[in-house]
Amino acid sequence: MMQTALHAHKREHISTFSRQKRRETLVGYSFVTPAVLLLIFFLVLPFLLAVVFGFTKFNLLRPDKIHFTGLDNYKLLFTDGLFYKSLWNTLYFTVIVVPVQSGVALMLALLVNNSLKLRNVFRIAYFSPVVTSMTVIAILWISLYNPNEGLINSALHFFGISNQPFLRSSSQAMNSIIFMSVWQAAGYQMMIFLAGLQGISKDLYEASSIDGASKLQQLRYITIPSLYNVTVFVLTITTIQAVKLFVQPYIMTNGGPENSTRTLALLIYQQGFQFRNAGYASAISVIFFLIVVLISFSMKKFLRDK
Amino acid sequence: MRNTRTKVLLYALNIIMSLLFIIPLLWMVVSSLKPENQIFADLSSLKSLLPLHITLDNYRMAFERIPLMKFLFNSLFYVSVICISGLGVNSICGYALAKLRFRGSEFILVCIIALMIVPFESILMPLYLVVNALHWVNTWFALIVPFIANCFSIFMFRQFFMDIPNEILESASIDGSGPLKTFASIVVPLSGPVFATVFILDFISHWGDFMWPILVTTGESLRNIQLGIQTFFTLPPIYYGQIMATLTFTTVPIIVLFLLLQKYYVQGITSAGIKG
């Protein structure tokens, strides 16, 4: 008798438990469904289509007439001078921007990580280009870089330097875009470094200054090693941002002069939407995606190997 | 003594660097307030940064030449809709992934983290085809719907909700409140900061949208402010004063929003950085 009651109790317990579990599953699915459906339709599906379209040839305006062409797009890609040029420009931009921008950002973070009364004013000054949209920045800097009557040439005159062509010259255009991009985004990385600096325990500095360490030694042996993870993170996001370079050359130079500022993202856009080679553009998109994955994974490895 | 010297040095370096960062923006604002010929007359001297001949003519003329208010409204409208509907969809998904146990939730979480890596540029073409197939080109749907769900936002929400103690949620469910009610009446009020953070990160990134709106809007009616100023810039005759006026006008709303929600924006950037 006693035992049956116990059994009954147990059974009831199990069944409420499983009912509750079933209910939680139902609620869980209904909570994730809107987001998951949207992601499937507007992220996963387009991504899979990009991979498939990479093996086809078709006009953007006639998606009903798709021809499978196997690896033709990729073969074409690796003989296309413009692809190599764009790849090179993208890598050049990335290789210069990442260390320069992160270096400037770290320096700015060190400059404002203190008890100066005006430190918040300085922080906002460094950060203000970040919140200004890239379109505004690009148009503003076309004016600043104007070869005849731009502010920068006027400033250079002051130092006795003659007029520079900047965006109009194939040797200066990319460097001009680099300079502007560093100016625009350094404040963003500065904020991340600043948070990293403020996370370092004050005790370390106190202990080391009792031991007679100089400010420079503290920087070398405490600050920089403590920032390892933050630095890897900053380098990762800066690199991924950098390989996506698009708006600046699109607005400022349209890839010119002489293709000196044509980047992979710009090439995808032009092949796809100007020349309507949807298949070829998809193949470039796939290569572009692989580059981003490669960067992310190698950076993750750095984080783990620490 | 040594302390004072460090301070002076820090101030000097900071002032020099700040000027480098602020002068282009200052020139933009000051030039927008000057008559056209004065901008060029002042260019080679410090006067180019001083508002000496203030006039609002550039603004008036720019407003006459292009429908700036309409572009501004379009931007504010579609970006707000993306962000607000995104808060709903992403927060509830993040909540389920953080607090509810169900088959497949781990898998969904891993997929969402993996999808963060896919760059928008590499799905641009097929996304256009999807939107085109839905007959959404040149409608608000094309500008809004594809961007409501956002992997990064879901992840931010999930991380935040993980820290809410289970006891609070359990006591609510013992009191008989359903899961949606628990979420709305217990979780949301506790989570103001993460909602503000996700909102402003999303808002600022979509405010700058440029590539996508070019593709999916064909006429002026849906164009956002970024496209508006870009077309204005290429529209002869080119007057620098008017261009600077439109740039300044475009920047003001975002600066206001930033100043209002500054704390959360910076928190969002840095928390992503520290947690990696």
Side-chain angles (χ1 to χ4, degrees), chain A residues 213-228:
Chain A
S214 71
K215 281 260 185 275
L216 222 57
Q217 279 171 321
Q218 287 182 336
L219 183 72
R220 168 75 187 78
Y221 293 104
I222 300 175
T223 311
I224 299 214
S226 308
L227 285 178
Y228 183 90

Side-chain angles (χ1 to χ4, degrees), chain A residues 271-303:
Chain A
Q271 283 294 343
F273 295 97
Q274 249 160 281
F275 308 124
R276 310 198 190 286
N277 294 327
Y280 192 55
S282 299
I284 307 172
S285 306
V286 171
I287 301 284
F288 181 76
F289 169 73
L290 291 177
I291 292 173
V292 171
V293 171
L294 196 73
I295 294 165
S296 312
F297 273 89
S298 47
M299 293 295 187
K300 277 240 168 65
K301 200 170 145 36
F302 275 111
L303 271 180

Side-chain angles (χ1 to χ4, degrees), chain A residues 109-110 112-113 123 188-201 226-227 230 234, chain B residues 266-275:
Chain A
L110 291 170
V112 292
N113 182 39
R123 281 178 200 175
Y188 188 89
Q189 277 89 332
M190 172 196 78
M191 281 296 175
I192 303 175
F193 274 128
L194 193 57
L197 286 172
Q198 288 170 351
I200 304 174
S201 155
S226 308
L227 285 178
V230 175
V234 167
Chain B
V266 172
Q267 234 166 43
I269 293 173
T270 53
S271 74
I274 301 288
K275 285 173 190 162

